[in-house]
Amino acid sequence: MRRPFLKMNGLGNDFVVWDARSEKLALTPDVIARLGSRETGIGFDQMITVERSSLPGVDAFMRIHNMDGSQVDACGNATRCIGRLLLEESGKSAVTIQTNAGLLNAVASGVPRTISVDMGVPRLRWDQIPLAEEFADTRAIELQIGPIDDPILHTPAVVSMGNPHAIFWVKDIEAYDLAKVGPLLEHHPIFPEGANISLAQFIGENEIRVKVWERGAGLTLACGTGACAVAVAAARDNKAGRKSVIHLPGGPITIEWRESDGHVIMTGLTEVEFEGEIDLETLAWEKVAEGDLALEPAGDAA
Ligand SMILES: N[C@H](CCC[C@H](N)C(=O)O)C(=O)O
């Protein structure tokens, strides 16, 4: 049975997107992992399933699986991508997306392919991250890796955007092999549900360079919730203002931790890479149409 899908990304953090609003889709973690593999499958960081929401006035429910098959509650870059699809499809000026981490509002920013999402309020208490033990001050918790007297990384800030994040402030981001230390920290016992791990280096006032090792996905080109977590952690520790630009390997994301209501507003690019079709019995798939450049007149694609 052949099924259409979209391949999208938010600053290189890439997704396979299914529209399951009229025809349900339930893939096993094993099939998701096979599809997510860049060797055996289509290849993606997360798989996104758009489903009907039962809530009045809500445009869709967004289900998120990491490429390892684990289901998680938040994915910022994907929220921008699904927000864009729903905005373009409905012609509305704002859409509401239901996730297991709450209701998120998406609006077009006025710049082509660039979407702003209200990611809600950050969760900052130790038991909301969650952590395995109580820490009164989550701006810097006692956690280190490497030799006791000369740790490689230590005292991270922790923030949840509906998913757990640990942020390590570093002077030179290139001095660290995140592919090596990332998995050690992701699965550290202090994080009972795992954690997304960010290295963050200040490169200017309210300008932060970030690399992320994602829970269940590994190194990615961008992490939207990670960008939110870094910006909030910097602001609450007076290392930056409430509006900062997070520079990820895939590009910049602007974050504002709004003073008025404590909501985190994330703005960044989205891209449709291609439309595809897959045989869900054999998992054989093919591209059927190129993405954005085909969707927008050449003049807008610049
Ligand atoms: N790339 C996603 C984050 C996915 C987080 C996922 N790895 C988790 O387990 O929480 C983002 O843009 O927010």
Side-chain angles (χ1 to χ4, degrees):
M1 167 196 52
R2 294 181 69 77
R3 181 133 186 173
F5 65 87
L6 272 185
K7 182 70 176 19
M8 298 187 78
N9 74 74
L11 296 166
N13 180 204
D14 66 345
F15 316 106
V16 156
V17 179
W18 307 103
D19 185 349
R21 289 174 291 181
S22 46
E23 191 183 353
K24 282 199 177 300
L25 181 74
L27 301 178
T28 63
D30 171 59
V31 167
I32 295 171
R34 282 169 59 197
L35 288 177
S37 160
R38 300 190 194 277
E39 279 74 49
T40 64
I42 303 166
F44 51 73
D45 295 325
Q46 279 85 26
M47 185 184 88
I48 307 298
T49 311
V50 181
E51 301 172 2
R52 278 189 198 291
S53 169
S54 56
L55 300 178
V58 172
D59 294 272
F61 176 88
M62 181 175 84
R63 192 175 301 280
I64 307 155
H65 287 89
N66 280 318
M67 60 89 75
D68 69 352
S70 58
Q71 183 171 188
V72 292
D73 297 343
C75 182
N77 286 317
T79 309
R80 288 203 315 280
C81 289
I82 304 309
R84 173 179 159 191
L85 294 180
L86 295 172
L87 286 162
E88 288 177 353
E89 178 188 71
S90 66
K92 290 165 64 173
S93 58
V95 291
T96 303
I97 300 167
Q98 180 189 358
T99 68
N100 286 331
L103 295 179
L104 308 175
N105 270 302
V107 298
S109 71
V111 176
R113 303 186 295 138
T114 303
I115 302 295
S116 285
V117 175
D118 178 342
M119 293 295 288
V121 295
R123 294 70 152 178
L124 302 173
R125 273 203 336 265
W126 70 275
D127 55 335
Q128 293 175 310
I129 304 303
L131 300 177
E133 54 186 89
E134 180 167 353
F135 284 96
D137 187 352
T138 54
R139 288 174 299 176
I141 68 167
E142 287 137 55
L143 165 62
Q144 64 179 52
I145 59 162
I148 293 283
D149 55 355
D150 181 21
I152 300 171
L153 290 167
H154 58 84
T155 48
V158 288
V159 174
S160 170
M161 291 305 300
N163 57 355
H165 289 269
I167 298 101
F168 293 86
W169 309 112
V170 296
K171 293 231 177 310
D172 174 9
I173 211 163
E174 295 305 329
Y176 299 86
D177 182 355
L178 188 54
K180 206 159 136 214
V181 297
L184 301 177
L185 288 161
E186 172 190 355
H187 299 292
H188 191 284
I190 195 74
F191 303 120
E193 294 177 9
N196 297 282
I197 308 300
S198 287
L199 302 180
Q201 174 187 343
F202 289 91
I203 56 173
E205 192 178 353
N206 306 325
E207 304 274 344
I208 310 173
R209 190 174 164 211
V210 172
K211 278 187 179 178
V212 187
W213 172 272
E214 282 196 29
R215 175 181 64 170
L219 287 175
T220 62
L221 288 173
C223 182
T225 49
C228 295
V230 168
V232 166
R236 72 187 289 240
D237 207 1
N238 300 314
K239 298 177 188 292
R242 296 186 75 101
K243 191 163 184 176
S244 49
V245 179
I246 307 299
H247 298 271
L248 294 143
I253 295 185
T254 301
I255 306 289
E256 180 183 3
W257 186 16
R258 208 160 47 194
E259 188 100 46
S260 56
D261 59 2
H263 283 222
V264 180
I265 312 301
M266 168 194 65
T267 302
L269 264 176
T270 63
E271 181 181 359
V272 175
E273 296 174 20
F274 61 85
E275 298 173 31
E277 266 194 8
I278 188 167
D279 177 328
L280 284 174
E281 260 91 49
T282 65
L283 300 190
W285 65 277
E286 61 181 342
K287 277 189 195 181
V288 295
E290 281 307 317
D292 269 337
L293 296 184
L295 287 184
E296 284 174 354
D300 289 349

